[in-house]
Amino acid sequence: MFLLPVQFYACEAVLEEQGIFGDVTTDEWAFYLLPLDDDVISLELPEFFRDNFLAGDQRWVRTAGRALHLLHSLFGPFSKIFGIGRCSKMTYESWREQVDEGEQKARQAEIGNVFLIDRDVDYVTPLCSQVVYEGLVDDIFRIKCGCVEFGPDVTSSDRSIKVMLNSQDKVFNEIRNEHFSNVFGFLSQKARNLQTAYDKRRGMDIQQMKTFVSEELKGLKQEHRLLSLHISASESIMKKKTKQDFQELLKTEHCLLEGFEIRECIFFIEEHINRQVSMIESLRLLCLLSVTENGLLPKDFRSLKAQYLQSYGAEHLLTFSNLRQLGLLVEQQPGETLTVMESKVGKLVNDRTAGKLTDAFSSLAKKSNFRALSRKLNLVPKSDEEYDLRIPRDMAYIFSGAYLPLSCKLIEQVLERDGWTGLEEVTRLINGHEFAVTGGGSADLKPKSDAQRIILVMFLGGCTFSEISALRFLGKERGYTFIVVTTAITNSSRLLEALLDNRV
């Protein structure tokens, strides 16, 4: 029996309890990194989020540290390591222990800065609907290990087909990071270009035709097949995601992000719940409302909770407990307005005489403080400015210009400042356990000239395709190459499904 990525003592204990410990031969496969694409690597540990952030089980922290150590051993010393989040701090410490224990090999650095980010630093981003093409494909068809299975509605036949989605697919590579509103225009142009390439055959002599068949025809046929698949996939997405309901859903999300018409948003969520449109979608809207508003008013919390349980079953009481524990769906305490909460956080963070977190501070750590963070980092662009999605001006295009992902904005700010200096108020509101450490390495070995432009970003608890698209955009704008390492690819459905609990 092979156990991956690591064999825990608990596995042996279970075998011993069942009385088969001596009859079963076990071994472990140290599987840490699965390259999904040129710039995306996954540990394929979807259980990481629930185990670490909900259950407090830190068994995967060392696995993440080992993955980082493997990258460090392959690509040389890192220049600087920036991190935010309690799990990030533990992962860094685990990695440092392994570096100190191992043999040091002097070599040129091929990666500059490294970022470690906890998923609970930014819950808003995975709770928002994805509107870039790759994100929508993941939401509708579910991308697993870089593969997607298109059903009969896409293949126009009675069978399904599995397709690898990466940069080797030329059609997909050009539309994966595009806002969905731009995808059909690109595909139409691509079809015309392909037809022009086929039409070159007319008027060719025998030698030219022979060259065309041997060198170009196979590639054109492959491109034609992929183009047909992505056109059909886009049509399927259009049917499911461009209905009136979806437009109203996006409008509600944007209002929640901006903090406008909250009462109308609550009415929409109530209607969504009472119509039993989707259990996960209803839960996602509830969580987005709570996180953006720093908790729900007691009367709203009780009412929405009662309606949800009546619509989807009382067994989800434990789900609400899980969400409250993570700070995703909480009830505001009397007198805890946003201003009061911000002052409390600032006061507690400044009070370092005890040298450890107080109980009061731990309870405040579950609050999102989204409005204050949004103002300080300008996460929500002004709605009166027209946003051209064909020529995006910033990372907000991944959410139709309505929101800049907090996780990516933090990376941008730290890179600009070369550290957390000037972001003290932001890190206080996040309570992120931020740190910045010089990577070290041999003094006589200078990093390769382009190494400082290569940034490794490690998400602990999962990241979304929208965040990956945002980092690619930032890299293109600022001249960086981002390599994303994640415990798993996530989205709102996967995030919330990990927290569902119906054991009542």
Side-chain angles (χ1 to χ4, degrees):
M1 180 172 66
F2 284 91
L3 300 163
L4 61 102
V6 64
Q7 179 176 331
F8 295 111
Y9 170 75
C11 301
E12 297 180 359
V14 171
L15 294 175
E16 191 171 358
E17 285 176 6
Q18 299 299 319
I20 57 174
F21 179 69
D23 301 325
V24 178
T25 302
T26 61
D27 200 354
E28 71 176 23
W29 178 23
F31 171 84
Y32 297 125
L33 300 171
L34 176 65
L36 300 182
D37 210 337
D38 296 339
D39 59 351
V40 182
I41 304 171
S42 175
L43 276 69
E44 287 305 299
L45 290 174
E47 58 269 41
F48 189 105
F49 175 72
R50 182 183 175 107
D51 286 354
N52 187 84
F53 295 101
L54 179 64
D57 186 343
Q58 298 167 5
R59 57 182 168 165
W60 299 118
V61 169
R62 186 160 180 82
T63 302
R66 286 178 178 175
L68 192 59
H69 181 55
L70 177 60
L71 291 168
H72 177 262
S73 63
L74 290 173
F75 301 107
F78 304 138
S79 298
K80 287 186 178 178
I81 299 98
F82 304 103
I84 185 162
R86 187 165 172 265
C87 184
S88 293
K89 190 70 176 290
M90 290 190 293
T91 299
Y92 166 76
E93 290 169 353
S94 173
W95 166 67
R96 279 306 323 174
E97 287 176 5
Q98 295 172 62
V99 170
D100 294 340
E101 291 170 2
E103 182 182 347
Q104 301 294 323
K105 293 182 179 179
R107 55 174 297 161
Q108 280 191 319
E110 297 183 47
I111 292 177
N113 297 330
V114 174
F115 285 86
L116 305 176
I117 300 179
D118 281 14
R119 181 70 278 165
D120 66 353
V121 166
D122 176 17
Y123 279 137
V124 172
T125 299
L127 288 174
C128 292
S129 293
Q130 301 192 88
V131 287
V132 293
Y133 180 69
E134 189 169 15
L136 280 168
V137 171
D138 185 41
D139 284 346
I140 302 276
F141 303 104
R142 292 234 173 184
I143 300 173
K144 297 179 181 178
C145 299
C147 288
V148 65
E149 184 171 348
F150 289 130
D153 58 327
V154 174
T155 60
S156 300
S157 65
D158 57 353
R159 64 188 183 89
S160 299
I161 182 173
K162 280 191 175 182
V163 180
M164 286 286 291
L165 293 180
N166 53 37
S167 55
Q168 300 301 311
D169 181 338
K170 294 180 181 179
V171 177
F172 175 71
N173 192 48
E174 294 189 57
I175 61 175
R176 66 192 310 178
N177 304 309
E178 290 290 326
H179 189 278
F180 190 69
S181 61
N182 301 329
V183 169
F184 271 106
F186 170 84
L187 293 175
S188 298
Q189 184 61 47
K190 193 75 174 176
R192 288 193 289 270
N193 294 343
L194 202 59
Q195 186 61 50
T196 302
Y198 273 121
D199 290 344
K200 287 196 307 182
R201 295 173 296 178
R202 297 174 183 173
M204 286 185 176
D205 57 31
I206 294 178
Q207 186 59 41
Q208 290 172 327
M209 182 64 74
K210 183 179 178 181
T211 303
F212 175 80
V213 170
S214 61
E215 296 180 4
E216 296 184 48
L217 187 59
K218 185 178 179 181
L220 289 174
K221 285 185 175 180
Q222 173 72 358
E223 199 168 340
H224 182 271
R225 184 182 72 85
L226 292 171
L227 180 63
S228 177
L229 271 177
H230 289 296
I231 289 174
S232 297
S234 298
E235 288 173 345
S236 182
I237 291 171
M238 282 278 288
K239 291 175 185 176
K240 296 174 183 176
K241 289 290 189 179
T242 55
K243 295 178 181 177
Q244 184 66 27
D245 283 351
F246 185 64
Q247 297 302 319
E248 289 295 321
L249 180 69
L250 289 180
K251 180 183 175 182
T252 300
E253 287 182 22
H254 294 173
C255 286
L256 289 174
L257 292 167
E258 294 171 0
F260 295 151
E261 301 178 347
I262 298 302
R263 189 50 51 186
E264 285 75 7
C265 293
I266 291 175
F267 291 153
F268 177 84
I269 296 171
E270 287 178 326
E271 182 184 5
H272 205 274
I273 292 171
N274 296 327
R275 287 169 53 205
Q276 296 183 327
V277 177
S278 164
M279 180 177 69
I280 292 293
E281 283 292 304
S282 297
L283 203 59
R284 180 175 69 84
L285 289 171
L286 285 174
C287 291
L288 189 60
L289 170 64
S290 175
V291 173
T292 54
E293 288 297 299
N294 203 46
L296 277 63
L297 294 173
K299 64 175 184 177
D300 290 332
F301 181 84
R302 289 192 295 270
S303 173
L304 289 166
K305 180 180 178 181
Q307 291 178 68
Y308 187 92
L309 295 175
Q310 288 167 2
S311 284
Y312 302 111
E315 62 269 21
H316 290 292
L317 272 168
L318 288 176
T319 299
F320 277 82
S321 176
N322 293 340
L323 295 170
R324 183 176 65 252
Q325 186 176 334
L326 286 174
L328 277 167
L329 185 53
V330 298
E331 179 181 356
Q332 286 183 7
Q333 298 304 312
E336 283 194 338
T337 62
L338 185 61
T339 305
V340 172
M341 287 296 298
E342 287 179 30
S343 64
K344 283 185 179 180
V345 171
K347 182 180 178 182
L348 284 168
V349 174
N350 284 326
D351 183 12
R352 300 182 181 273
T353 56
K356 59 181 180 180
L357 293 176
T358 63
D359 291 338
F361 188 84
S362 296
S363 67
L364 287 177
K366 300 299 182 185
K367 303 297 182 179
S368 68
N369 299 305
F370 174 76
R371 292 279 171 254
L373 287 168
S374 179
R375 288 196 300 270
K376 291 183 183 300
L377 293 174
N378 194 26
L379 298 180
V380 179
K382 294 180 180 179
S383 56
D384 57 347
E385 297 178 6
E386 188 173 345
Y387 200 99
D388 188 353
L389 293 170
R390 292 171 299 180
I391 311 173
R393 60 173 180 263
D394 54 32
M395 293 181 287
Y397 89 94
I398 67 169
F399 293 121
S400 304
Y403 169 63
L404 277 156
L406 172 59
S407 55
C408 302
K409 186 67 175 180
L410 286 172
I411 293 170
E412 179 189 49
Q413 290 293 304
V414 172
L415 286 173
E416 283 183 3
R417 303 163 189 266
D418 195 30
W420 296 102
T421 304
L423 296 172
E424 290 83 3
E425 287 298 317
V426 170
T427 56
R428 285 174 185 173
L429 291 167
I430 295 174
N431 181 29
H433 303 273
E434 76 284 354
F435 61 93
V437 184
T438 301
S442 199
D444 57 339
L445 283 176
K446 294 182 179 180
K448 291 184 178 179
S449 57
D450 57 348
Q452 295 302 318
R453 312 305 295 177
I454 299 176
I455 313 295
L456 184 72
V457 182
M458 189 174 197
F459 287 92
L460 297 160
C463 79
T464 65
F465 281 116
S466 294
E467 286 170 304
I468 295 172
S469 294
L471 289 176
R472 286 174 179 149
F473 176 87
L474 179 62
K476 192 181 296 183
E477 290 288 299
R478 304 295 176 88
Y480 292 113
T481 298
F482 285 98
I483 299 172
V484 176
V485 181
T486 178
T487 52
I489 298 295
T490 192
N491 56 25
S492 59
S493 296
R494 291 192 185 99
L495 185 81
L496 295 174
E497 283 168 4
L499 303 175
L500 289 179
D501 206 328
N502 56 3
R503 291 175 294 169
V504 174

